[in-house]
Amino acid sequence: MWMLSFVPDALLHIVVIGIMIAGIGIYTLSFLTRFVPPLIPYSGIARIIGTILLVGGIYFYGSYETEMSWRDKVAELEAKVAVSEKKSAEANIKIQTVVREKIKYVKETRVVIQEHIKNVETKIDSMCKVAPEAVDILNEAAATPGAKK
Amino acid sequence: MTKLLLVVTVLMMTGCAMFDAAPVKRNFPSVPTELMEACPDLKKTEPTEKLSEVLRVVVDNYGQYHECKIKVDTWVEWYKTQKDIFESVK
């Protein structure tokens, strides 16, 4: 059935309808052959072929409708996916803009605070002397847990 | 006859393989580049007696934490947003 997906819709429809019409035609003709004596021997076989074509045509018509139904569903889903991908890209741009602004603000604030430290550096250093152990403790706390020293 | 059977079998098997593939392809949403950067390690203080030097490193580390917090929060927001969009397609 997957091979049907390569056949154009219109051609598939024509073929299926053609098989059904051929079936009806041959089946009807099989009844008319009784009025034409030379064709009477072919009446039975024509009826069988007509029946097979008609039944086959109906079956193919059902398959065709199912195939079309699936194609419609796929097209509908593809459209939805396209919309969702567009939304996703838009959301990403929005998120990226916000995150950039936030990080920029954090960096700017850090610069301002560093400047502030610079202004009061002499005062801070004159009032306090840091013990080497305090630096060690601070570095110990800053070390990445589980990382090799 | 054997060749015909072989061809039919191969065709049927190819048909099965084709059915496995989803007819509609969905791409995984891309992630903003800022979120793909790993958070750096915290800075360590050089041996010093000056509190201002220690303070500078502490301020830098606080800043680093805030940047990482923004990234983690944004990851959560990104996930929720993309999940909502993904689930809206049914």
Side-chain angles (χ1 to χ4, degrees), chain A residues 1-3 5-6 73-78 80-81 83-85 87-89 91-93 95-96 98-100 102-103 106-107 109-110 113-114 117-118 120-122 124-125 128-132 135 138-144 147, chain B residues 11-12 14-16 18-19 23-27 29-35 41-61 63-64 66-67 70-71 74 77-78 81-82 85-86 88-90:
Chain A
M1 287 297 282
W2 63 270
M3 279 192 262
S5 58
F6 298 111
K73 279 179 186 173
V74 167
E76 191 186 334
L77 200 58
E78 276 174 346
K80 280 182 183 176
V81 167
V83 170
S84 81
E85 281 179 354
K87 272 186 190 173
S88 171
N92 265 356
I93 291 169
I95 286 170
Q96 198 167 27
V98 171
V99 79
R100 275 181 187 167
K102 281 181 179 175
I103 289 173
V106 166
K107 282 183 174 162
T109 307
R110 204 189 308 178
I113 295 170
Q114 292 288 10
I117 293 171
K118 210 175 181 179
V120 291
E121 192 177 349
T122 321
I124 292 170
D125 291 341
C128 182
K129 189 180 167 189
V130 180
V135 174
L138 198 64
N139 285 341
E140 200 180 330
T144 307
Chain B
L11 273 177
M12 285 172 79
T14 316
C16 290
M18 292 294 283
F19 277 125
V24 182
K25 192 188 166 195
R26 297 185 77 174
N27 295 317
S30 61
V31 180
T33 47
E34 284 79 3
L35 301 184
D41 292 335
L42 292 173
K43 284 184 181 174
K44 289 186 179 174
T45 315
E46 293 297 321
T48 180
E49 288 186 343
K50 289 181 177 179
L51 181 61
S52 62
E53 292 293 319
V54 176
L55 208 54
R56 277 197 183 97
V57 174
V58 170
V59 167
D60 273 346
N61 283 341
Q64 197 58 58
H66 287 302
E67 278 185 34
I70 288 166
K71 284 179 187 175
T74 311
E77 189 194 340
W78 180 88
T81 309
Q82 298 297 342
I85 292 169
F86 183 86
S88 69
V89 179
K90 284 176 185 171

